[in-house]
Amino acid sequence: MTSTELPVRPAVPARTARPPRAPRSARPDTGRRTGLTLGESRLARVLALAALAALALVWLLPMAWALLTAFKSEQDASDPGHWFLPRHGFTLHGFSTVWERGDLPLWMLNSFLVSAAVTVVTVLVSAMAGYAFSRTVFAGRRWLFTLTVAAVLVPPQLLVVPWFRQMLTLHLVDTYAAVILPQTVAPVMVFILKKHFDSLPRELEEAARIDGAGHWRIFWSVLLPLSRPMLAAVSIFVFIGAWNNFLWPFVSTSDPALMTLPVGITSVKDAYGVQYAQTMASAVLAALPLVVVFLFFQRQIVKSVATTGLGGQ
């Protein structure tokens, strides 16, 4: 090749024209739809929303009726002709009567102490048991877990007599321990937390073992921080169950100073028979703390269901 000749460049293929992009409405939908509808039409969405609204109304009607009855006088509460708007107007007489005849501050304090203690012990024991079933291998683990799952099917009412005899043997009747300890047995929470620990990646545990961490360090410093939403949801469910529990606190104690709120409000009786307004006022006062707890922690419940696969995802 002489100095005057130029190098020959390879031929560049001509650009082909791109086909026009299809409009968004015409593109195939390969993603997963999560909307709660019966289809894509507006009629289907309206029907779905109407069905949900009807179910919500059916669920809210008993609570609305109880709330209305609580603010009525006893005469209007037993009048079926004025079930919505009372003839003599709304009043706080039912709430004041229940407050005067009972010791609601003490009962609420006892309920809070018992429910908080039951929640702490149950969540701690259930989390450790769930970790043991999920991350450790020991003799009889499969049979013991099968027995734990089978215990979910046992109604708590069948255990009242054995629990009471055990408290008598331990001389714990009419104490806070008698009310708290039997309620900490929660096989369903062990099952839920075991399945949750199964869903966590084992690579984190292996990395902690390389750094020299043992079972307790892995449980306390690695898995529990990752399980905060689930632990919060379990805590709320256990707290609500302990707060609403009537049978066992009623059986295990006879001291008025140890009464919880569900037991205490049943002791507020009247000599003139059933008082509907006072009964509903007692129920509203007993449910009010639970409503406050749920409003504060409802995000944790939704987050736990969304991140652990319990929502069908």
Side-chain angles (χ1 to χ4, degrees):
M1 182 176 64
T2 62
S3 60
T4 58
E5 293 179 354
L6 297 177
V8 179
R9 296 182 179 179
V12 179
R15 293 185 177 181
T16 58
R18 294 182 179 179
R21 180 176 295 184
R24 186 177 298 272
S25 59
R27 296 179 189 174
D29 187 5
T30 59
R32 182 178 180 183
R33 295 188 177 274
T34 59
L36 185 61
T37 61
L38 300 178
E40 294 300 324
S41 65
R42 180 174 298 181
L43 177 61
R45 295 186 179 184
V46 171
L47 291 177
L49 293 177
L52 292 176
L55 293 175
L57 183 62
V58 172
W59 183 77
L60 288 174
L61 275 178
M63 293 191 298
W65 178 79
L67 192 61
L68 287 174
T69 306
F71 286 96
K72 295 179 181 179
S73 63
E74 293 297 341
Q75 181 180 359
D76 292 332
S78 57
D79 184 5
H82 298 80
W83 66 272
F84 184 71
L85 293 178
R87 181 181 303 177
H88 302 90
F90 293 102
T91 179
L92 296 175
H93 177 71
F95 292 93
S96 61
T97 302
V98 173
W99 189 276
E100 293 172 358
R101 294 183 179 179
D103 197 351
L104 287 180
L106 178 61
W107 298 339
M108 286 188 176
L109 178 61
N110 290 337
S111 292
F112 178 78
L113 293 177
V114 170
S115 301
V118 169
T119 301
V120 172
V121 176
T122 301
V123 172
L124 182 60
V125 173
S126 300
M128 290 191 293
Y131 173 82
F133 285 127
S134 176
R135 302 290 182 166
T136 63
V137 178
F138 55 90
R141 182 185 62 146
R142 181 175 300 179
W143 290 104
L144 186 58
F145 182 69
T146 303
L147 183 62
T148 303
V149 175
V152 177
L153 304 177
V154 179
Q157 292 79 4
L158 295 180
L159 303 176
V160 170
V161 175
W163 283 345
F164 187 77
R165 292 179 63 88
Q166 187 177 12
M167 294 301 107
L168 282 177
T169 304
L170 298 175
H171 304 285
L172 294 178
V173 178
D174 280 339
T175 62
Y176 282 110
V179 183
I180 294 171
L181 291 179
Q183 297 188 66
T184 59
V185 181
V188 64
M189 300 306 170
V190 176
F191 176 79
I192 291 175
L193 291 173
K194 190 265 182 185
K195 291 301 181 181
H196 169 70
F197 289 138
D198 288 342
S199 66
L200 297 179
R202 293 186 177 270
E203 288 78 7
L204 299 175
E205 180 182 356
E206 295 173 358
R209 290 190 182 280
I210 294 175
D211 293 336
H215 283 296
W216 178 254
R217 177 62 62 183
I218 294 172
F219 169 74
W220 190 260
S221 301
V222 179
L223 296 186
L224 280 190
L226 297 174
S227 307
R228 289 176 182 174
M230 175 56 70
L231 293 177
V234 170
S235 300
I236 294 173
F237 293 140
V238 174
F239 185 89
I240 293 176
W243 184 280
N244 289 330
N245 195 356
F246 167 78
L247 181 60
W248 177 246
F250 176 76
V251 172
S252 60
T253 59
S254 57
D255 187 358
L258 297 177
M259 284 185 178
T260 58
L261 190 59
V263 178
I265 60 177
T266 59
S267 64
V268 181
K269 301 294 182 179
D270 195 275
Y272 299 99
V274 179
Q275 302 295 311
Y276 296 104
Q278 297 179 23
T279 303
M280 294 304 167
S282 302
V284 170
L285 290 175
L288 185 60
L290 296 182
V291 175
V292 175
V293 170
F294 181 80
L295 291 178
F296 274 102
F297 296 101
Q298 60 177 337
R299 289 187 178 181
Q300 298 294 335
I301 298 178
V302 175
K303 186 177 180 181
S304 67
V305 173
T307 57
T308 56
L310 296 181
Q313 301 179 356

